[in-house]
PDB file of all heavy atoms in Angstrom:
ATOM      1  N   ILE G  15     -31.071 170.327 -56.169  1.00 48.00           N
ATOM      2  CA  ILE G  15     -31.213 171.772 -55.814  1.00 48.00           C
ATOM      3  C   ILE G  15     -30.589 172.550 -56.983  1.00 48.00           C
ATOM      4  O   ILE G  15     -29.471 172.266 -57.343  1.00 48.00           O
ATOM      5  CB  ILE G  15     -30.594 172.085 -54.474  1.00 48.00           C
ATOM      6  CG1 ILE G  15     -31.194 171.195 -53.419  1.00 48.00           C
ATOM      7  CG2 ILE G  15     -30.685 173.566 -54.163  1.00 48.00           C
ATOM      8  CD1 ILE G  15     -32.612 171.532 -53.016  1.00 48.00           C
ATOM      9  N   GLY G  16     -31.254 173.607 -57.402  1.00 45.00           N
ATOM     10  CA  GLY G  16     -30.840 174.315 -58.592  1.00 45.00           C
ATOM     11  C   GLY G  16     -29.611 175.198 -58.413  1.00 45.00           C
ATOM     12  O   GLY G  16     -29.029 175.236 -57.355  1.00 45.00           O
ATOM     13  N   ARG G  17     -29.244 175.831 -59.497  1.00 46.00           N
ATOM     14  CA  ARG G  17     -28.059 176.666 -59.548  1.00 46.00           C
ATOM     15  C   ARG G  17     -28.053 177.763 -58.489  1.00 46.00           C
ATOM     16  O   ARG G  17     -26.937 178.067 -58.030  1.00 46.00           O
ATOM     17  CB  ARG G  17     -27.937 177.314 -60.912  1.00 46.00           C
ATOM     18  CG  ARG G  17     -27.576 176.312 -62.034  1.00 46.00           C
ATOM     19  CD  ARG G  17     -27.629 176.948 -63.374  1.00 46.00           C
ATOM     20  NE  ARG G  17     -27.474 176.163 -64.603  1.00 46.00           N
ATOM     21  CZ  ARG G  17     -27.553 174.890 -64.756  1.00 46.00           C
ATOM     22  NH1 ARG G  17     -27.752 174.086 -63.803  1.00 46.00           N
ATOM     23  NH2 ARG G  17     -27.370 174.344 -65.947  1.00 46.00           N
ATOM     24  N   ALA G  18     -29.124 178.300 -58.113  1.00 47.00           N
ATOM     25  CA  ALA G  18     -29.123 179.367 -57.077  1.00 47.00           C
ATOM     26  C   ALA G  18     -28.593 178.938 -55.811  1.00 47.00           C
ATOM     27  O   ALA G  18     -27.871 179.618 -55.082  1.00 47.00           O
ATOM     28  CB  ALA G  18     -30.573 179.945 -56.883  1.00 47.00           C
ATOM     29  N   LEU G  19     -28.814 177.652 -55.428  1.00 53.00           N
ATOM     30  CA  LEU G  19     -28.313 177.108 -54.174  1.00 53.00           C
ATOM     31  C   LEU G  19     -26.942 176.550 -54.342  1.00 53.00           C
ATOM     32  O   LEU G  19     -26.218 176.290 -53.330  1.00 53.00           O
ATOM     33  CB  LEU G  19     -29.254 176.017 -53.584  1.00 53.00           C
ATOM     34  CG  LEU G  19     -30.609 176.510 -53.275  1.00 53.00           C
ATOM     35  CD1 LEU G  19     -31.462 175.295 -52.719  1.00 53.00           C
ATOM     36  CD2 LEU G  19     -30.600 177.573 -52.238  1.00 53.00           C
ATOM     37  N   ALA G  20     -26.486 176.253 -55.481  1.00 48.00           N
ATOM     38  CA  ALA G  20     -25.180 175.658 -55.776  1.00 48.00           C
ATOM     39  C   ALA G  20     -24.166 176.676 -56.184  1.00 48.00           C
ATOM     40  O   ALA G  20     -23.124 176.366 -56.704  1.00 48.00           O
ATOM     41  CB  ALA G  20     -25.314 174.628 -56.867  1.00 48.00           C
ATOM     42  N   GLY G  21     -24.438 177.988 -55.870  1.00 55.00           N
ATOM     43  CA  GLY G  21     -23.488 178.976 -56.168  1.00 55.00           C
ATOM     44  C   GLY G  21     -23.394 179.304 -57.654  1.00 55.00           C
ATOM     45  O   GLY G  21     -22.428 179.904 -58.145  1.00 55.00           O
ATOM     46  N   GLY G  22     -24.402 178.928 -58.438  1.00 56.00           N
ATOM     47  CA  GLY G  22     -24.476 179.266 -59.809  1.00 56.00           C
ATOM     48  C   GLY G  22     -23.713 178.352 -60.734  1.00 56.00           C
ATOM     49  O   GLY G  22     -23.622 178.575 -61.925  1.00 56.00           O
ATOM     50  N   GLU G  23     -23.049 177.347 -60.173  1.00 59.00           N
ATOM     51  CA  GLU G  23     -22.182 176.456 -60.997  1.00 59.00           C
ATOM     52  C   GLU G  23     -22.939 175.370 -61.670  1.00 59.00           C
ATOM     53  O   GLU G  23     -22.925 175.210 -62.835  1.00 59.00           O
ATOM     54  CB  GLU G  23     -21.056 175.967 -60.139  1.00 59.00           C
ATOM     55  CG  GLU G  23     -20.141 177.033 -59.649  1.00 59.00           C
ATOM     56  CD  GLU G  23     -19.045 176.511 -58.739  1.00 59.00           C
ATOM     57  OE1 GLU G  23     -18.918 175.338 -58.603  1.00 59.00           O
ATOM     58  OE2 GLU G  23     -18.381 177.359 -58.089  1.00 59.00           O
ATOM     59  N   ALA G  24     -23.590 174.480 -60.895  1.00 58.00           N
ATOM     60  CA  ALA G  24     -24.257 173.354 -61.459  1.00 58.00           C
ATOM     61  C   ALA G  24     -25.247 172.781 -60.434  1.00 58.00           C
ATOM     62  O   ALA G  24     -25.102 173.019 -59.239  1.00 58.00           O
ATOM     63  CB  ALA G  24     -23.233 172.238 -61.838  1.00 58.00           C
ATOM     64  N   ASP G  25     -26.169 172.003 -60.956  1.00 69.00           N
ATOM     65  CA  ASP G  25     -27.137 171.359 -60.014  1.00 69.00           C
ATOM     66  C   ASP G  25     -26.308 170.346 -59.189  1.00 69.00           C
ATOM     67  O   ASP G  25     -25.352 169.733 -59.665  1.00 69.00           O
ATOM     68  CB  ASP G  25     -28.225 170.609 -60.805  1.00 69.00           C
ATOM     69  CG  ASP G  25     -29.184 171.621 -61.444  1.00 69.00           C
ATOM     70  OD1 ASP G  25     -29.209 172.727 -61.007  1.00 69.00           O
ATOM     71  OD2 ASP G  25     -30.007 171.154 -62.222  1.00 69.00           O
ATOM     72  N   VAL G  26     -26.792 170.156 -57.969  1.00 73.00           N
ATOM     73  CA  VAL G  26     -26.157 169.184 -57.058  1.00 73.00           C
ATOM     74  C   VAL G  26     -27.243 168.292 -56.447  1.00 73.00           C
ATOM     75  O   VAL G  26     -28.378 168.705 -56.345  1.00 73.00           O
ATOM     76  CB  VAL G  26     -25.353 169.859 -55.937  1.00 73.00           C
ATOM     77  CG1 VAL G  26     -24.151 170.597 -56.488  1.00 73.00           C
ATOM     78  CG2 VAL G  26     -26.281 170.739 -55.087  1.00 73.00           C
ATOM     79  N   GLU G  27     -26.841 167.068 -56.108  1.00 80.00           N
ATOM     80  CA  GLU G  27     -27.805 166.218 -55.492  1.00 80.00           C
ATOM     81  C   GLU G  27     -27.711 166.437 -53.967  1.00 80.00           C
ATOM     82  O   GLU G  27     -26.644 166.601 -53.389  1.00 80.00           O
ATOM     83  CB  GLU G  27     -27.436 164.732 -55.762  1.00 80.00           C
ATOM     84  CG  GLU G  27     -27.664 164.340 -57.218  1.00 80.00           C
ATOM     85  CD  GLU G  27     -29.153 164.390 -57.603  1.00 80.00           C
ATOM     86  OE1 GLU G  27     -30.047 163.931 -56.784  1.00 80.00           O
ATOM     87  OE2 GLU G  27     -29.477 164.873 -58.686  1.00 80.00           O
ATOM     88  N   VAL G  28     -28.846 166.469 -53.303  1.00 81.00           N
ATOM     89  CA  VAL G  28     -28.945 166.782 -51.858  1.00 81.00           C
ATOM     90  C   VAL G  28     -29.793 165.641 -51.228  1.00 81.00           C
ATOM     91  O   VAL G  28     -30.858 165.344 -51.685  1.00 81.00           O
ATOM     92  CB  VAL G  28     -29.519 168.161 -51.619  1.00 81.00           C
ATOM     93  CG1 VAL G  28     -29.690 168.405 -50.091  1.00 81.00           C
ATOM     94  CG2 VAL G  28     -28.732 169.235 -52.258  1.00 81.00           C
TER      95      VAL G  28
END
Side-chain angles (χ1 to χ4, degrees):
I15 300 292
R17 288 174 188 13
L19 297 180
E23 295 176 11
D25 288 346
V26 295
E27 291 295 318
V28 177

